[in-house]
Amino acid sequence: MSNYFENNLNEGERIEIEIKHNRLFIAQEFIKFVIWLAVAITLHILGNLLVDWLCGLMSDVSGLDGLAKAIPIVLYVVVWGGFAFLGIILRVASIMSVYGTKLAITNRRIIGKSGVFSSYSLDYPIEKIDSVSVNTPFFGKIFHYADIEIKSTNAETAITFEGVTNANEFRNALTAAIAKNADEARKAQANEIANAMKGAH
């Protein structure tokens, strides 16, 4: 059990099941980063060649000052630099997000968090869960992982947790918890009605 869950459990509360991230899904995120890096390096090489060519053309044009001739270099630095910076931030955030994502079912509620730079916390009582579904992407079928979507009664959109190894097991546990909670609620309501009828007599 992670420290996140230990710090968020109430007295008498216990973890029933928590999600497990597929290592191949995490490796897939690293592969995406490597591919992006290869693209960035290729663009860097092509950009240098393009800048050299443009600078050569502009040096042959009379009447241009040094600042005007530096425009291709400035444009290259801005465009490629922005691409490189944004790519690094997005890819690293994607990888870190996997490690920062937690989700578990307790005997009372479902708790978890997602995200790194902007973290989203999830804390729903079992009776507030509207639906849970499992979606398996193309690579998930190959590497045996799936995405879990959870929708609560007071949320407009579902929350998705990606790259989960035990997605079906988690869904079944949550579905069972929802059914158990509904059954207990019906029994409690029946007892209240029975006690009210006894009191009336």
Side-chain angles (χ1 to χ4, degrees):
M1 186 193 305
S2 70
N3 291 332
Y4 174 78
F5 294 128
E6 289 180 356
N7 296 333
N8 284 276
L9 289 179
N10 298 321
E11 186 177 350
E13 193 173 17
R14 65 181 184 278
I15 296 291
E16 300 290 349
I17 185 174
E18 61 181 283
I19 61 171
K20 298 175 183 176
H21 286 292
N22 187 291
R23 291 181 180 178
L24 291 175
F25 173 77
I26 298 171
Q28 180 183 308
E29 293 300 310
F30 277 106
I31 290 170
K32 287 180 182 177
F33 177 74
V34 171
I35 291 172
W36 172 88
L37 205 57
V39 171
I41 292 171
T42 302
L43 290 177
H44 174 62
I45 294 169
L46 293 175
N48 272 331
L49 293 173
L50 181 62
V51 166
D52 289 342
W53 179 70
L54 287 173
C55 287
L57 283 180
M58 296 182 79
S59 64
D60 295 334
V61 179
S62 58
L64 288 177
D65 57 17
L67 184 61
K69 292 178 181 178
I71 289 176
I73 299 173
V74 174
L75 284 175
Y76 167 72
V77 170
V78 171
V79 173
W80 187 86
F83 173 80
F85 177 77
L86 246 149
I88 290 172
I89 294 296
L90 291 176
R91 290 266 54 92
V92 170
S94 178
I95 293 169
M96 290 178 63
S97 179
V98 176
Y99 289 102
T101 297
K102 311 288 180 185
L103 183 67
I105 303 170
T106 76
N107 54 322
R108 298 176 184 172
R109 58 192 172 132
I110 180 168
I111 57 174
K113 71 184 183 75
S114 178
V116 179
F117 300 109
S118 57
S119 182
Y120 178 87
S121 296
L122 180 149
D123 188 344
Y124 296 144
I126 295 296
E127 62 269 18
K128 294 294 183 182
I129 303 299
D130 186 40
S131 65
V132 55
S133 60
V134 171
N135 301 313
T136 307
F138 174 76
F139 285 108
K141 293 177 182 178
I142 300 172
F143 299 125
H144 307 293
Y145 67 80
D147 303 334
I148 298 175
E149 284 190 359
I150 297 173
K151 179 80 164 56
S152 75
T153 54
N154 55 356
E156 294 182 1
T157 57
I159 303 170
T160 302
F161 293 83
E162 298 179 324
V164 181
T165 299
N166 59 338
N168 288 319
E169 184 184 354
F170 188 92
R171 177 191 57 190
N172 294 340
L174 183 53
T175 302
I178 293 170
K180 180 182 178 182
N181 183 269
D183 186 53
E184 289 175 351
R186 282 193 296 269
K187 287 179 180 178
Q189 188 177 23
N191 287 334
E192 286 180 7
I193 293 172
N195 290 333
M197 290 177 69
K198 286 179 182 179
H201 291 294

